[in-house]
Amino acid sequence: MAMLLTLIIWAVGFVHVQCKPNIIIMYMDDMGWGDIGANGNWAKETPNIDKMAREGMRFTNFYTAAPICSPSRASLMTGRLPIRNGFYTTNWHAVNSYTPQNIVGGISDDEILMPQLLKQAGYRSKIIGKWHLGHRQQFLPLNRGFDEFFGSPNCHFGPHDDVKTPNLPVYKNDKMIGRYYTNFTISHGLSNLTQMYISEATNFIEDQTKAGTPFLLYWTPDANHQPPYASEMFYGKSRRGSRYGDSVMEVDYGVGVILKTLKNLGIDKDTLVFFSSDNGAEGIAKQNGGNNGPLLCGKQTTYEGGFREPGIVWWPGTVKQGVVTQQLGSTMDIIVTAATLAGVKMPSDRLYDGIDLMPVLTGQYQDIQRPIFYYRGNELFAARVGKYKVTYWTWTHQHYKFCPGQYVKDVTTPDQVNRTSDPIVFHLERDPGEKFPLGKKSSEYKEAIQLVTPYVEKHRATMKRGVPALNYCDDLVMNWAPPGCEDIDYCLPPPEKSTLRLCGWDH
């Protein structure tokens, strides 16, 4: 009898270990750390995200890999910094770059993306919303591991004239089914796109549940990006009095619908959900943009407002409810954590910047000491270990107001200033706004330098930079005739000749 009981316990344990959870990544666009009520936003217009935080684990120190959309998303999908995966430019020093529709490059074939990795374990994957890792056919989601796609390879900029510049395409799987503004309308900030993204998400979840297939859902609406949009249900409803506020309310509604769907289907305890944002809120949008809370500056910068994001992990029955952790987390940790849960080994032929968060999520470890690196383009601007951040370069920007209403002497500099030989150090637990650098003669300053420097030295010594993918632009490669355009009679004539040139990044 005792032997039988032992075998039953072992068998149950074995089945539990072998179970592959569904994985959902909710990745917002330009949402700031202070945009959610769980992080103190006064408007309290994110009840579903806040409930998600109460039912799961909230990270107070959760970081993106870049302060701008495309490199951030490349790192989420690869688990590697942009400087490694090639999503940066060498056209100018320390300049941010992304993937407009005249970009020639995209995510490298050498990089192994999350859906490709999880496919080895039988996962079916879908991306809904903004891709931004290259719009040419070889870079599109279905050619990079995803099984399904509904959304756009680009952001919703426009409207364009379809003569000098084509309106951006919206895809269903591998074919364009229309274009922003002409077929998928966005008018004065009014659009049903987020509602479409919500429906696509719930339909996908229901289909995979019926099929009994583990799934990866990458849900990434871009409604919060300038110019923000919302549907009639939320248009003009925000206490903030801005379209951005309306858009935040609507994506929060989407979070609620998706989590409720998981509960209704009885798969909530089999589904791990991550919530975060690609970069901080955009400072130049001022009162029409997001909120980075007490953090300094925002999108485009390597100050905390550009890199530190909302971070919530939800998995009923596995992640304990109501936990707030100070563990340093990164969006690059998601792929490593997902691989662990799927039983897939990470490739050993390259370095990864993400770590497995499961020991933290399950309460096995309270704190894993690890570095966070803050890159701006091709330059390492700062590094954080524990509570200390060491800043080697400072730059807000001479022409753009990335830090409106915020000025810290010798910290928010309009020109690039190299401080590598004499770094600035912040204690981020008592000074998250980076307003009070440690005195350089203090013992604490010296201790911080001694703590962080070995991590930086090792990082530099082992760095193998990827080939920069964001150097060249050409109007000939814009979205003139995407796959499927002939089916809806919406192919546009391209320019007569190439305009290949170095991209004119000025971020």
Side-chain angles (χ1 to χ4, degrees):
M1 184 67 180
M3 178 64 74
L4 178 61
L5 182 60
T6 300
L7 288 172
I8 291 172
I9 292 172
W10 179 86
V12 171
F14 181 77
V15 171
H16 177 73
V17 171
Q18 291 300 304
C19 181
K20 299 169 185 173
N22 307 309
I23 297 167
I24 298 178
I25 302 167
M26 298 174 169
Y27 209 51
M28 302 301 104
D29 200 340
D30 289 6
M31 180 180 279
W33 187 92
D35 270 322
I36 64 174
N39 283 346
N41 187 273
W42 66 270
K44 302 295 184 185
E45 293 179 336
T46 54
N48 296 293
I49 298 170
D50 300 343
K51 182 180 180 184
M52 181 184 182
R54 291 193 303 273
E55 294 179 347
M57 179 178 288
R58 177 169 64 90
F59 284 72
T60 60
N61 297 297
F62 202 74
Y63 287 88
T64 184
I68 190 170
C69 40
S70 297
S72 163
R73 292 162 187 270
S75 292
L76 170 71
M77 286 289 104
T78 63
R80 287 155 50 84
L81 286 163
I83 200 72
R84 297 192 204 275
N85 65 41
F87 254 57
Y88 68 100
T89 183
T90 54
N91 291 357
W92 287 272
H93 176 254
V95 167
N96 290 321
S97 52
Y98 68 106
T99 54
Q101 65 165 321
N102 62 357
I103 195 75
V104 173
I107 191 68
S108 170
D109 283 341
D110 293 332
E111 294 297 321
I112 301 171
L113 275 58
M114 195 183 307
Q116 293 173 303
L117 202 61
L118 296 186
K119 194 180 291 289
Q120 299 173 28
Y123 278 72
R124 186 167 182 83
S125 59
K126 181 167 186 169
I127 171 176
I128 299 171
K130 177 178 171 181
W131 173 236
H132 233 210
L133 300 188
H135 65 278
R136 300 175 72 191
Q137 190 165 358
Q138 65 268 36
F139 304 125
L140 291 174
L142 266 61
N143 292 322
R144 297 315 317 269
F146 280 98
D147 297 299
E148 299 181 34
F149 175 34
F150 183 82
S152 179
N154 304 91
C155 196
H156 61 274
F157 293 130
H160 300 299
D161 60 8
D162 278 346
V163 178
K164 291 183 178 180
T165 305
N167 278 301
L168 296 161
V170 174
Y171 278 77
K172 186 173 182 62
N173 297 326
D174 58 352
K175 290 188 176 183
M176 168 185 135
I177 56 172
R179 296 180 187 266
Y180 282 141
Y181 295 96
T182 50
N183 309 106
F184 293 86
T185 58
I186 304 173
S187 178
H188 303 287
L190 185 63
S191 175
N192 286 323
L193 277 164
T194 301
Q195 293 298 320
M196 294 180 195
Y197 294 154
I198 295 168
S199 295
E200 287 285 330
T202 56
N203 290 341
F204 176 74
I205 292 168
E206 289 168 358
D207 288 346
Q208 304 321 306
T209 302
K210 290 176 184 176
T213 306
F215 63 82
L216 166 67
L217 172 59
Y218 179 27
W219 190 68
T220 177
D222 73 342
N224 306 144
H225 194 290
Q226 297 294 321
Y229 60 79
S231 69
E232 283 281 3
M233 189 187 308
F234 295 96
Y235 195 83
K237 300 296 195 301
S238 173
R239 295 186 187 92
R240 303 191 201 193
S242 67
R243 197 66 58 238
Y244 179 87
D246 298 341
S247 71
V248 169
M249 292 178 69
E250 186 155 30
V251 296
D252 173 78
Y253 169 79
V255 169
V257 170
I258 292 170
L259 296 186
K260 185 177 180 180
T261 299
L262 298 176
K263 293 177 180 178
N264 289 344
L265 292 171
I267 61 169
D268 51 318
K269 292 184 178 180
D270 301 317
T271 307
L272 172 61
V273 185
F274 289 92
F275 178 91
S276 193
S277 176
D278 61 352
N279 45 249
E282 192 168 30
I284 57 175
K286 299 180 181 177
Q287 70 270 25
N288 295 315
N291 188 322
N292 294 311
L295 308 178
L296 184 62
C297 300
K299 180 179 179 178
Q300 305 280 8
T301 77
T302 55
Y303 305 104
E304 289 298 290
F307 266 75
R308 199 189 302 195
E309 313 305 330
I312 301 171
V313 182
W314 184 90
W315 188 2
T318 299
V319 175
K320 190 176 179 180
Q321 292 190 15
V323 176
V324 178
T325 178
Q326 283 73 47
Q327 168 67 46
L328 302 189
S330 168
T331 56
M332 294 181 289
D333 300 339
I334 297 175
I335 185 175
V336 183
T337 306
T340 296
L341 293 169
V344 177
K345 289 185 178 180
M346 297 296 291
S348 59
D349 62 345
R350 64 199 67 197
L351 289 175
Y352 283 89
D353 298 288
I355 65 172
D356 179 9
L357 286 177
M358 282 309 297
V360 177
L361 299 180
T362 57
Q364 184 179 355
Y365 291 109
Q366 295 298 317
D367 183 43
I368 300 172
Q369 186 160 287
R370 52 89 64 92
I372 296 293
F373 297 111
Y374 304 68
Y375 272 87
R376 200 181 198 285
N378 59 349
E379 185 62 72
L380 177 64
F381 265 49
R384 177 179 182 179
V385 178
K387 56 195 173 187
Y388 296 111
K389 179 178 181 180
V390 177
T391 298
Y392 305 106
W393 286 80
T394 57
W395 191 27
T396 56
H397 203 285
Q398 188 173 8
H399 304 295
Y400 291 98
K401 304 299 182 183
F402 292 139
C403 306
Q406 294 179 299
Y407 169 75
V408 181
K409 185 179 180 182
D410 297 328
V411 176
T412 53
T413 57
D415 298 306
Q416 293 186 28
V417 179
N418 186 351
R419 304 183 185 278
T420 305
S421 62
D422 192 28
I424 299 172
V425 178
F426 296 100
H427 185 304
L428 290 179
E429 293 298 338
R430 63 173 180 252
D431 179 27
E434 299 171 279
K435 294 179 174 62
F436 308 105
L438 297 183
K440 293 182 179 179
K441 294 182 179 180
S442 68
S443 59
E444 189 177 19
Y445 177 91
K446 295 173 184 176
E447 290 170 7
I449 294 293
Q450 290 172 358
L451 173 66
V452 177
T453 297
Y455 287 95
V456 173
E457 289 177 346
K458 181 180 179 180
H459 176 72
R460 293 187 189 278
T462 58
M463 174 55 64
K464 182 180 179 181
R465 297 191 172 209
V467 177
L470 307 181
N471 277 352
Y472 292 98
C473 289
D474 189 340
D475 293 350
L476 195 60
V477 305
M478 291 200 287
N479 293 284
W480 302 106
C485 67
E486 63 280 355
D487 296 339
I488 58 173
D489 194 25
Y490 203 166
C491 303
L492 301 171
E496 293 181 359
K497 59 182 180 179
S498 168
T499 60
L500 185 65
R501 62 197 182 278
L502 291 176
C503 298
W505 306 118
D506 56 0
H507 297 90

